[in-house]
Amino acid sequence: MSLLKFHTSGIYCEQGNFFIDPWVPVDYALITHAHSDHARAGSKKYLCHTYTKPLLQYRLGEGIYETTEWNQPLYINGVKVSFHPAGHIIGSSQIRVEYKGEVWVVSGDYKIENDGISGAFEPITCHHFITESTFGLPIYNWLPQQKIFEEIQQWVMQNHSRQQTSVLIAYSLGKAQRLLPCLQQTGLPIYAHGAVYNIHQTLINSGHTLPMIFPITKETSPKEFAGNIIIAPSSALDSPWIRKFTPYSVGICSGWMQVRGHQRRRNADAGFALSDHCDWKGLLQAINATRAEQVYVTHGFQSVFSRYLNEQNIQASEVITNYGNEEDETASIV
Amino acid sequence: MVMKKTKQHQSYDMKHFAQLIWQLGTSTKTNAKIDALANYFAEAKQKDISWLIALFTGRRPKRTISAAHLQQWCIELTQHPRWLFDECYHTVGDLAETIALLLPPPEGESTQSSLADILASLKLVSTQNDEAKKQFILQHWQSMNTRERFVFNKLITGGFRIGISQKTMVNALAKFTQLDPAIIAHRISGQWDPSTTTPEQLLNEEIQQTDISKPYPFYLAYAIEGMPEHPDEWMAEWKWDGIRGQLIKRNRQFYVWSRGEELMTEKFPEYNALAEKLPDGTVLDGEIIPSIEQTPLSFNLLQTRIGRKNLTKKQLQEVPVTFFAFDLLEWQGQDIRTTPLAERRRILSSLIHSLNEPALILSKEVPFQSWQQLEQVRMHSRDNGAEGLMIKRLSSTYQTGRKKGDWWKWKIDPLVIDAVMIYAQKGHGRRSNLYTDYTFAVRSDDQLITFTKAYSGLTDQEIAQVDAFVKKNSLEKFGPVRTVKPELVFEIAFEGIAESKRHKSGVALRFPRINRWRKDKTVDDINTLEDLKKMLEQFG
Ligand SMILES: [Zn+2]
Ligand SMILES: [Zn+2]
């Protein structure tokens, strides 16, 4: 009998009687990270990384949130559980589960490049590895973060010289914070959509140090942000909200921007392939490092990616889950 | 001197061209595109400018290396299995881009070649064997980054429709040269070879006139917005459903041009007799129509005929074409476009009469006393094989492009619009395996805006063709919906139009359906959001 099972409600550990990232309310939910496709409201009790707790409180409301640090094993009904950095967003963790010598790792979402704010991804040896495959095609190859940051800075300064406001579209949790050190270097003031600002405040109130940003409210005068920087979630793109920044230029920060067609269909003036997920090579590198006997491939290009792994003599199977569909990672249809 | 003296940067090479193409392909604002182009004109080498103009006006270089070879060499280089390559291609939707994204990072010196250099060496390599071609490609790939590779691959695979319409190109040239867009449009039309023509030669008036094949820019009409006063100052004729074209005879040479700016002389051997008989210095405007005994046949028959590589005797017999002439633009070597229409038609009529050639007829005038009476006649358009009427002011000059005021089209069913398919979904029941439900878009600046769904009014055979296209060209999946390459143009007919806040386009249509597949049109020819808004004003 296998230690973790793909249950209709999520990934389930029968021995420990807990779920990992369930998509319906359960008694005990272990949460890899605070993105909405992994952390859902209504469970009786949660266990997450310390950094994730305030985000869950903000997004899911009050409840019972137990916390843990990285690399500190705890036991649930005899099952050894530990959290390890996943490098995806602040607080994001891989969850390692061990019982009677059998080791499973649920990686949640992850990337192996150290972005400076999410904690460096830690490879963990295991027997069974559950991986995402959001960008599991070889067309997805990221440039180093520094290079993309330089491109973004150039673009922002070019807009500034034309007195255009730079509207950067980024997921409010994760990408928005990741961009701040890059944007701060331009010396221009940074404004934020309410969704971005609220996450920012939540993080600051729980002790994180982040560059300063200003909220955009009804009172904010267009003179203030003209030629400067605005960070907004993708939902702002098609809304009337964005129009008050005219003249502006839109730059989308997402791995999907690697492909021209996506960028065009989103009506962006610029696209920056900056992702909080692994690229193709990153996925392969991470999987190889686990030395897992069996790999389970979830959200993304699971059928392609698992077929490829099998051809490379890595036993893999695809698993259909409800993950994926983070706001910034789905190109919206009209 | 038309072109401003340019500072020719030695370093203005493929990198800048790739940069420009990227900007054009991603920018959403027409003005930004025009600026980017004008900057390029000011900085780039003359030869590169000629090629740029050529590429964006449909003059692609001859294909010297097959797409299949590019694909094969990319697979060899990356060592990916073929199925994985196919999956990538399926996701990206563009072969040139797929290859550019898959290739390993560049090594060594980056490319110093200019656009013209690369096109010249491509031409040279065309005569060499596959191994030499392969070395040529691999060397270039190695010296280029992803964007440069994409453009390089596009130059080889053709289909260089990236981000801008011909109109945008014309406006950018107009901005740069300070010439009227109409003049530019005319000068860059016709046959010219970018490898031997400098921008100066192309755009300079005196040198320019030596090109004898050049058609005039077509005068296009808008849908009528209300009947004008003084019906006696107007004439009416049938609006034919064919291919708009110009017949040109100059220096004993004969040319047939379509409105899509394609030289189609070879496609219509019926007109050979005219090549002999038309006097030199004559340009006729009219409609290329499949017809027998002056009675038009279905337009679809013509499309099928044109699609064929080689014309068979059978086709010539079954679908013969006639030229229904309605205007005379050049006569005895003189451009007479500013002569009033009534006079132009008078000369045209006597010319056609004297030639007495069955392949050339005068598009008949439809006499009328009042608009009410004409409206009655218009009801019988279909019986006459026409799709409505054209109303033209007798004193009108022959203008350039789509202009209001002097020419109007008055179609029987005014509510049709040409749109491009951008999403497809599978049908139900019998057709649950086929993509039969489509979403269509019109243009707004350089964006595509969806405005309606329509179920297929197509034949089973056409549905199968569209289905195959969708399967081959889908870019993304959203549940059951596929995003497809915006390429197939359809005429959408509908019964009514109303304002709608729910739709991105701001309009909702009543009983939209596909009238027919416009294989003769490209995504550049579709209607605009503004056209829809006008319909809303008029019929909403
Ligand atoms: Zn996530
Ligand atoms: Zn996720």
Side-chain angles (χ1 to χ4, degrees):
Chain A
M1 201 197 67
S2 86
L3 180 56
L4 293 188
K5 277 191 201 148
F6 296 98
H7 188 274
T8 46
S9 310
I11 299 168
Y12 180 56
C13 177
E14 194 172 336
Q15 181 61 38
N17 193 22
F18 59 81
F19 282 85
I20 297 175
D21 292 353
W23 41 84
V24 294
V26 297
D27 287 345
Y28 195 18
L30 277 55
I31 300 296
T32 60
H33 67 291
H35 275 152
S36 53
D37 58 325
H38 295 260
R40 296 177 200 244
S43 288
K44 286 192 186 134
K45 194 170 71 170
Y46 294 89
L47 172 65
C48 62
H49 186 267
T50 326
Y51 291 163
T52 303
K53 180 179 169 183
L55 296 166
L56 294 187
Q57 283 173 315
Y58 168 67
R59 290 197 145 176
L60 312 182
E62 281 311 319
I64 305 171
Y65 299 105
E66 297 171 352
T67 62
T68 180
E69 302 292 324
W70 286 320
N71 283 302
Q72 292 200 348
L74 48 97
Y75 289 84
I76 305 171
N77 298 332
V79 177
K80 185 180 173 188
V81 172
S82 55
F83 282 51
H84 305 266
H88 175 56
I89 60 166
I90 288 178
S92 66
S93 307
Q94 306 174 73
I95 300 178
R96 182 185 183 279
V97 181
E98 179 182 347
Y99 185 68
K100 289 188 178 165
E102 182 179 329
V103 181
W104 287 65
V105 170
V106 179
S107 59
D109 291 339
Y110 66 100
K111 70 170 177 290
I112 56 173
E113 183 181 27
N114 185 353
D115 64 13
I117 60 160
S118 308
F121 174 86
E122 188 185 304
I124 308 160
T125 314
C126 59
H127 302 107
H128 300 263
F129 185 61
I130 303 177
T131 182
E132 54 137 325
S133 59
T134 311
F135 293 106
L137 277 185
I139 50 171
Y140 298 108
N141 292 297
W142 313 144
L143 290 171
Q145 169 168 292
Q146 189 47 39
K147 254 220 122 129
I148 304 173
F149 278 3
E150 282 162 20
E151 275 184 29
I152 295 175
Q153 288 167 345
Q154 266 176 23
W155 178 77
V156 166
M157 293 320 288
Q158 191 186 34
N159 291 336
H160 179 75
S161 69
R162 293 174 182 159
Q163 279 122 40
Q164 281 188 344
T165 305
S166 300
V167 179
L168 281 159
I169 300 297
Y171 195 35
S172 51
L173 171 56
K175 206 77 59 74
Q177 293 81 48
R178 185 177 170 191
L179 281 171
L180 291 177
C182 153
L183 298 174
Q184 196 182 26
Q185 285 173 14
T186 65
L188 300 175
I190 304 164
Y191 289 83
H193 181 277
V196 174
Y197 187 75
N198 290 343
I199 293 282
H200 191 87
Q201 288 310 102
T202 305
L203 287 167
I204 286 193
N205 293 340
S206 55
H208 292 274
T209 321
L210 293 170
M212 180 148 84
I213 61 173
F214 305 99
I216 294 173
T217 62
K218 283 200 187 80
E219 287 76 44
T220 321
S221 127
K223 273 197 205 115
E224 288 181 53
F225 44 71
N228 295 324
I229 302 165
I230 294 171
I231 307 178
S234 63
S235 56
L237 252 188
D238 303 319
S239 75
W241 179 83
I242 202 168
R243 279 183 221 137
K244 78 170 179 182
F245 307 118
T246 310
Y248 63 87
S249 212
V250 173
I252 299 183
C253 304
S254 159
W256 298 113
M257 294 300 115
Q258 183 91 333
V259 175
R260 280 172 71 249
H262 277 278
Q263 193 173 324
R264 286 206 356 240
R265 259 164 278 131
R266 298 300 307 271
N267 277 335
D269 299 297
F272 304 102
L274 181 73
S275 178
D276 284 326
H277 296 270
C278 279
D279 64 2
W280 169 260
K281 290 200 186 89
L283 287 170
L284 294 176
Q285 188 186 324
I287 288 165
N288 278 316
T290 64
R291 287 186 273 147
E293 293 157 10
Q294 173 71 41
V295 176
Y296 303 91
V297 184
T298 67
H299 64 329
F301 290 98
Q302 58 263 26
S303 68
V304 174
F305 194 60
S306 52
R307 177 174 173 189
Y308 181 81
L309 290 178
N310 281 311
E311 287 186 8
Q312 304 299 306
N313 293 319
I314 298 170
Q315 220 182 100
S317 53
E318 59 176 302
V319 177
I320 308 296
T321 62
N322 284 10
Y323 308 134
N325 302 324
E326 283 163 17
E327 285 150 56
D328 68 331
E329 306 292 32
T330 31
S332 75
I333 194 161
V334 204
Chain B
M1 194 68 178
V2 176
M3 299 294 279
K4 287 180 212 155
K5 252 288 168 250
T6 58
K7 4 169 191 154
Q8 292 195 13
H9 289 216
Q10 275 313 312
S11 63
Y12 231 75
D13 51 29
M14 193 62 181
K15 255 192 248 8
H16 297 86
F17 182 66
Q19 186 60 33
L20 171 72
I21 297 305
W22 197 263
Q23 275 178 324
L24 296 177
T26 55
S27 173
T28 57
K29 297 171 184 90
T30 309
N31 277 337
K33 293 180 187 194
I34 290 178
D35 286 346
L37 281 167
N39 277 339
Y40 188 84
F41 294 144
E43 301 280 332
K45 295 177 183 141
Q46 298 293 298
K47 278 190 166 174
D48 290 3
I49 296 174
S50 293
W51 268 112
L52 177 73
I53 299 171
L55 290 171
F56 280 101
T57 50
R59 287 167 189 76
R60 62 188 62 156
K62 247 218 174 104
R63 200 176 267 216
T64 56
I65 294 169
S66 74
H69 269 137
L70 288 189
Q71 194 168 329
Q72 185 193 325
W73 299 333
C74 171
I75 288 173
E76 283 175 26
L77 209 61
T78 57
Q79 299 192 332
H80 288 314
R82 170 163 289 267
W83 67 264
L84 186 60
F85 181 94
D86 292 342
E87 287 287 345
C88 292
Y89 183 15
H90 188 80
T91 300
V92 176
D94 180 291
L95 185 70
E97 189 180 1
T98 307
I99 293 174
L101 289 170
L102 283 175
L103 292 171
E107 282 168 33
E109 285 281 291
S110 70
T111 181
Q112 301 289 316
S113 314
S114 71
L115 171 63
D117 293 342
I118 284 179
L119 287 158
S121 46
L122 259 176
K123 200 170 170 186
L124 279 179
V125 86
S126 68
T127 54
Q128 299 179 3
N129 63 21
D130 283 356
E131 195 43 44
K133 286 180 181 171
K134 181 175 168 182
Q135 284 318 313
F136 172 85
I137 295 291
L138 296 192
Q139 265 170 25
H140 279 82
W141 278 347
Q142 211 148 67
S143 67
M144 292 176 174
N145 68 24
T146 307
R147 289 177 190 183
E148 290 155 11
R149 284 167 177 169
F150 164 65
V151 170
F152 175 70
N153 294 345
K154 270 281 177 206
L155 290 174
I156 297 167
T157 56
F160 219 84
R161 280 188 188 278
I162 299 172
I164 59 166
S165 58
Q166 180 152 340
K167 193 171 154 196
T168 308
M169 168 59 79
V170 165
N171 287 339
L173 275 172
K175 180 171 181 174
F176 180 62
T177 58
Q178 308 282 321
L179 288 169
D180 188 64
I183 294 173
I184 300 278
H186 187 205
R187 290 190 184 164
I188 65 171
S189 63
Q191 264 179 321
W192 54 276
D193 180 354
S195 61
T196 55
T197 312
T198 65
E200 168 99 38
Q201 285 166 336
L202 185 64
L203 298 169
N204 186 299
E205 197 172 7
E206 288 114 61
I207 307 172
Q208 221 285 318
Q209 286 193 344
T210 55
D211 183 356
I212 55 162
S213 76
K214 201 149 285 197
Y216 291 97
F218 287 85
Y219 180 11
L220 307 171
Y222 274 99
I224 199 155
E225 295 171 350
M227 303 319 292
E229 285 177 43
H230 311 296
D232 53 320
E233 291 173 7
W234 295 77
M235 63 155 289
E237 60 185 299
W238 295 116
K239 181 176 186 327
W240 303 111
D241 191 12
I243 296 174
R244 181 81 178 273
Q246 284 180 33
L247 302 186
I248 297 172
K249 172 82 181 281
R250 293 179 185 132
N251 283 7
R252 272 167 285 150
Q253 300 286 322
F254 178 69
Y255 306 94
V256 181
W257 280 96
S258 77
R259 178 158 93 70
E261 283 250 338
E262 245 178 299
L263 192 55
M264 305 182 91
T265 320
E266 312 300 325
K267 295 264 179 194
F268 307 111
E270 288 94 335
Y271 299 156
N272 284 348
L274 295 170
E276 293 293 315
K277 284 196 177 174
L278 274 175
D280 259 333
T282 305
V283 178
L284 303 172
D285 183 14
E287 204 81 24
I288 299 165
I289 308 229
S291 65
I292 290 175
E293 305 272 317
Q294 306 203 359
T295 305
L297 309 168
S298 154
F299 180 66
N300 289 331
L301 292 172
L302 180 59
Q303 279 190 327
T304 334
R305 176 178 146 170
I306 286 174
R308 297 281 158 83
K309 249 204 175 122
N310 299 307
L311 272 173
T312 60
K313 245 206 179 106
K314 188 160 166 269
Q315 282 176 322
L316 284 173
Q317 261 165 22
E318 283 174 3
V319 192
V321 296
T322 310
F323 194 76
F324 285 47
F326 49 67
D327 215 322
L328 184 65
L329 314 185
E330 188 174 307
W331 177 236
Q332 295 173 341
Q334 296 295 311
D335 173 358
I336 59 164
R337 289 177 297 162
T338 52
T339 307
L341 173 66
E343 176 65 10
R344 297 200 306 273
R345 275 198 70 113
R346 196 187 58 73
I347 309 171
L348 176 68
S349 162
S350 67
L351 168 67
I352 291 173
H353 202 76
S354 68
L355 289 177
N356 191 22
E357 259 308 314
L360 175 66
I361 62 169
L362 182 69
S363 175
K364 257 187 284 161
E365 197 172 328
V366 179
F368 66 98
Q369 299 301 321
S370 68
W371 295 129
Q372 287 85 343
Q373 190 213 342
L374 190 61
E375 186 157 15
Q376 292 301 314
V377 179
R378 181 173 146 264
M379 304 289 185
H380 300 285
S381 299
R382 289 261 184 256
D383 308 338
N384 287 279
E387 53 176 5
L389 291 165
M390 290 295 302
I391 310 294
K392 296 176 178 174
R393 196 192 292 275
L394 287 162
S395 63
S396 63
T397 60
Y398 189 92
Q399 298 168 50
T400 296
R402 207 174 282 286
K403 294 277 158 58
K404 287 189 179 184
D406 286 343
W407 285 20
W408 298 104
K409 44 185 183 188
W410 194 15
K411 288 205 197 177
I412 325 167
D413 182 357
L415 302 180
V416 294
I417 202 147
D418 290 331
V420 67
M421 174 176 77
I422 64 171
Y423 302 120
Q425 203 172 338
K426 285 187 174 168
H428 302 281
R430 182 170 74 92
R431 288 170 168 170
S432 61
N433 240 334
L434 292 170
Y435 286 94
T436 55
D437 302 359
Y438 317 126
T439 303
F440 297 93
V442 286
R443 184 180 294 286
S444 169
D445 287 329
D446 286 305
Q447 303 172 27
L448 295 174
I449 307 286
T450 55
F451 69 104
T452 191
K453 264 188 153 188
Y455 304 100
S456 186
L458 302 172
T459 63
D460 281 359
Q461 198 195 346
E462 285 173 323
I463 290 175
Q465 284 174 20
V466 176
D467 180 71
F469 176 87
V470 171
K471 283 171 181 157
K472 229 194 264 153
N473 293 281
S474 66
L475 306 173
E476 295 166 297
K477 288 183 213 172
F478 301 99
V481 181
R482 299 275 184 112
T483 308
V484 293
K485 217 178 187 181
E487 199 173 297
L488 303 189
V489 176
F490 296 86
E491 184 178 88
I492 308 298
F494 47 99
E495 298 303 319
I497 182 166
E499 198 175 348
S500 161
K501 291 246 149 52
R502 271 193 323 119
H503 293 79
K504 198 171 183 180
S505 62
V507 299
L509 308 184
R510 213 159 62 86
F511 301 131
R513 60 197 179 271
I514 299 171
N515 229 19
R516 59 180 170 145
W517 188 349
R518 296 295 311 237
K519 290 183 181 167
D520 57 323
K521 294 203 170 181
T522 73
V523 65
D524 284 345
D525 304 320
I526 60 173
N527 282 99
T528 61
L529 188 59
E530 208 176 308
D531 296 334
L532 268 180
K533 295 256 156 84
K534 267 184 210 130
M535 286 183 162
L536 181 65
E537 254 171 54
Q538 208 183 339
F539 308 102

